[in-house]
Every structure is written in structure tokens, then in C-alpha cells.
Amino acid sequence: PYTLGPAVRDYDARRAAWLTAHPRFPAFVAPRRPRVLVITGSSPRRCSSRDGDHMLLRAFKNKADYCRVHGFDVFYSNAVLDAEMSGFWTKLPLLRALMVAHPETELLWWVDSDAVFTDMLFEPPWDKYASHNLVLPGWEDAVYGARNWLGTNAGSFVIRNCQWSLDLLDAWAKMGPRGPVREHYGKIFGKTLSNRAAYEADDQSAIVYLLVTQRGRWGDKVFLESSYVLHGYWKGIVDRYEEMRSKWRPGLGDDRWPLVTHFVGCKPCGGQGATYDAAECRRGMERALNFADDQILKLYGFQHESLNTTAVHRVKNDTGRPMDSDDEEIGRLLHPTFRAA
Ligand code: UDP
Ligand code: MN
């Protein structure tokens, strides 16, 4: 059967030895601050939709902004590392390759190209996951109870650099090789999972399938997170940004000010997506990107004229004494005390 590569044994002990031998690259950059690598990517090919590549550029700028504020590293992949793992499955070989190449990285955070960070201040509560290895957005009832493939989302999740995770990636990837295997598992998912037709296996259904069929093997190390928006379905969010701004402040990360707005089914780069009206998707993305960018621009005295336009204007008078202002809210993002070293 398919594997992502040679079985890695004794990984945790080997990684611990590497970390001891390389004290300049600690897995925790400060007490309670794991070293985090944000990983995203897109197809090696140019987008087929007219402004797809421009949207990808802006979506990546958004990730660069978020990572800079929080002191996270970021990796963008344009390669399909394994032809068997094409399409959205490509994140699995990529995660494995980065995991074993970077023993100093404690947590790897996969973020889809079409997911936008919309709370630049909020940071996941890393402490809370100290005894877990995989943090998925979602709900236990929906995953284990309803066996719903929409009970989680594979567009934004966090995985720890450890043996357990390498084993999980292997078990997960077994359902992904394109062709007959992917077709076969698609049919199984159609029967086993709720709400899902029998089309070819996708990575999100596959992780739900793994959890419901092998809960004993994996379940206790998986955290299903719903206390903040690790992945937020764009439809219920993109029309509320103005309201959020009038009522709340960044840093909440939950429904009041979602950490992530994910354009599920929108296919901004082109491709099959016919689920949603392209213009509606386009408008939503524009708004999400401007909403996020406003949180950054504000630090430098600028804002978008509205969430629907790329035009910006100055909102703070320029001054000859720039260091004199002490806006607390702005300071929290310009010089975050939580930032990694
Ligand atoms: N992706 C990639 N390389 C590819 C194809 C897809 O890295 O060749 C990534 C990309 O980040 C994309 C993600 O896989 O966002 C999942 O696909 P998509 O977002 O279209 O799925 P959806 O979230 O709409 O279900
Ligand atoms: Mn996506």
C-alpha cells in the first residue's frame, strides 16, 4: 500500500537528541511559546480564473502579515511533492517533509490558500493543547456522533511535530493516492459518513473517517476546537465586518471577530468550483482581505475607504514627533508582547 515514505521509528527520541544538540534552535522560543510554522500553498500552474493569481498574492500577503505580527515562520509551496497526492491531498507529503526537516518546529499550522486571517491579534491558546497533537476546527458531536464530513475542516489545522503525527499522516495518506484508491475510499465515505456523496476521497472526509473508525487509536490526542474560529465558513461572516468593527475589537477570534474566514468552495484560482457564484465569492474575498489589511494599515495611519475598495486614505495626521503617540490598541499589534523572539 501507499506510504508517504520510509517508516520513521524512534522519532521522538531522535528529535529530542537533535534539540539537545542544537540549543540555538529550541522548539519553544519562550516559556509556553512553541515555535510555529504556518504552511500554505497553491498549484504549480498559473490560475485559470482571470484574477486568481492576484487573489492568491493578496491572500499570501495576509498570511505574511499575520505571521510577522506573531513571529511565526511561513512556508509557501508551489510544488506537488508526490504525483499520487495531487490536489488538496498535496498538503500531506508537504507536512511530512517539513516536519522531519525542521525538528525545531513544534507546531505546524496548515492554512489553505483561500483562508484569510481576519483577526490579526488573536493567537491560538497553545497551552491548552499541551497534551494534544492535532487541533482541528469542529465539534465532537458532529464528528463522532453524526459522522458528518463537515464536522471539521481541513483548511486550517495545527499538528505537532512528533511520531504520533508522522503515523497519523501515513494512515491519512493511505486513502489519498489518485485513481482507484481515491475512488474506492470515496465510495466508503459515501456509505460511512453523513451528508456525503460517493465522489472521490478528499482529505477532510478521510480525517473524519479515520477518527470515527479508529477513535481509540487517535481520538485522545485530537482536539476539536470550537471556542474560537480556527476555520470560519465565509458565507456567515463576510457581510458582518462593518458590524463587527462597530461593536468589537480584534483579539477575540470567535464569532464576534473571527480568526479565519475560509472561502470554502469558492475556487478563487479557478478549477471546477461551480458551487457558488464567482462574483459573490470575489466580493467576499475582497472584503475579508480589506478587513484584515485595515488592521495592519491602521498601525501606519491608513485605512481602506471602505471594505469594498482597494483605495486607502490617511486616517491619522502625520506628525514630526512620531514616537509621542501612545495608542494602546495600536501598540498591541506593532510591538506585541506575546511575539516570539
Ligand atoms: N492546494 C495546493 N496545491 C494544489 C492544489 C491545492 O497547495 O495543487 C491547496 C491550496 O492551499 C488550497 C487547498 O489545497 O487552498 C485546498 O483546496 P481548496 O481550498 O480549493 O478546497 P476547499 O477549501 O474549497 O474545499
Ligand atoms: Mn479552502
Side-chain angles (χ1 to χ4, degrees), residues 119-131:
D119 190 333
M120 295 315 228
L121 190 59
F122 183 86
E123 183 166 324
W126 306 118
D127 279 356
K128 184 173 165 185
Y129 311 129
S131 58

Side-chain angles (χ1 to χ4, degrees), residues 69-284:
V69 167
H70 294 271
F72 301 154
D73 287 328
V74 60
F75 189 100
Y76 198 110
S77 172
N78 266 314
V80 172
L81 300 184
D82 181 338
E84 293 287 322
M85 294 278 118
S86 53
F88 28 61
W89 285 95
T90 230
K91 69 186 75 153
L92 301 190
L94 179 61
L95 282 168
R96 174 182 157 117
L98 291 169
M99 198 177 276
V100 299
H102 290 287
E104 76 279 17
T105 297
E106 180 65 17
L107 298 174
L108 297 89
W109 185 355
W110 170 263
V111 187
D112 269 11
S113 60
D114 60 349
V116 177
F117 286 107
T118 39
D119 190 333
M120 295 315 228
L121 190 59
F122 183 86
E123 183 166 324
W126 306 118
D127 279 356
K128 184 173 165 185
Y129 311 129
S131 58
H132 292 87
N133 295 332
L134 179 67
V135 185
L136 294 169
W139 303 265
E140 299 227 334
D141 291 353
V143 171
Y144 300 112
R147 302 181 161 217
N148 189 340
W149 77 289
L150 301 170
T152 186
N153 189 280
S156 170
F157 63 89
V158 177
I159 189 165
R160 190 177 302 281
N161 191 349
C162 65
Q163 179 81 56
W164 182 98
S165 298
L166 289 171
D167 295 345
L168 177 86
L169 289 174
D170 260 330
W172 191 355
K174 282 200 168 51
M175 299 174 263
R178 65 175 178 189
V181 175
R182 210 180 275 189
E183 295 293 334
H184 169 72
Y185 278 101
K187 290 187 189 118
I188 293 185
F189 298 165
K191 273 186 235 145
T192 322
L193 306 179
S194 59
N195 242 321
R196 193 192 186 280
Y199 55 84
E200 64 169 21
D202 61 293
D203 61 323
Q204 181 172 306
S205 298
I207 189 68
V208 172
Y209 179 76
L210 210 56
L211 294 181
V212 299
T213 56
Q214 300 177 28
R215 186 173 187 176
R217 169 76 176 89
W218 310 107
D220 60 337
K221 292 288 175 190
V222 178
F223 196 105
L224 283 160
E225 182 60 89
S226 58
S227 73
Y228 62 91
V229 181
L230 178 54
H231 134 88
Y233 176 53
W234 63 281
K235 276 260 194 181
I237 299 176
V238 296
D239 290 319
R240 295 194 291 119
Y241 293 132
E242 286 88 353
E243 187 197 331
M244 290 172 200
R245 285 210 290 211
S246 72
K247 286 193 184 156
W248 308 105
R249 293 287 159 261
L252 298 165
D254 61 16
D255 202 48
R256 292 170 293 176
W257 199 291
L259 172 61
V260 172
T261 303
H262 181 193
F263 289 84
V264 185
C266 272
K267 310 283 174 243
C269 184
Q272 320 87 333
T275 327
Y276 299 109
D277 176 41
E280 191 191 353
C281 286
R282 179 71 184 70
R283 173 182 169 276

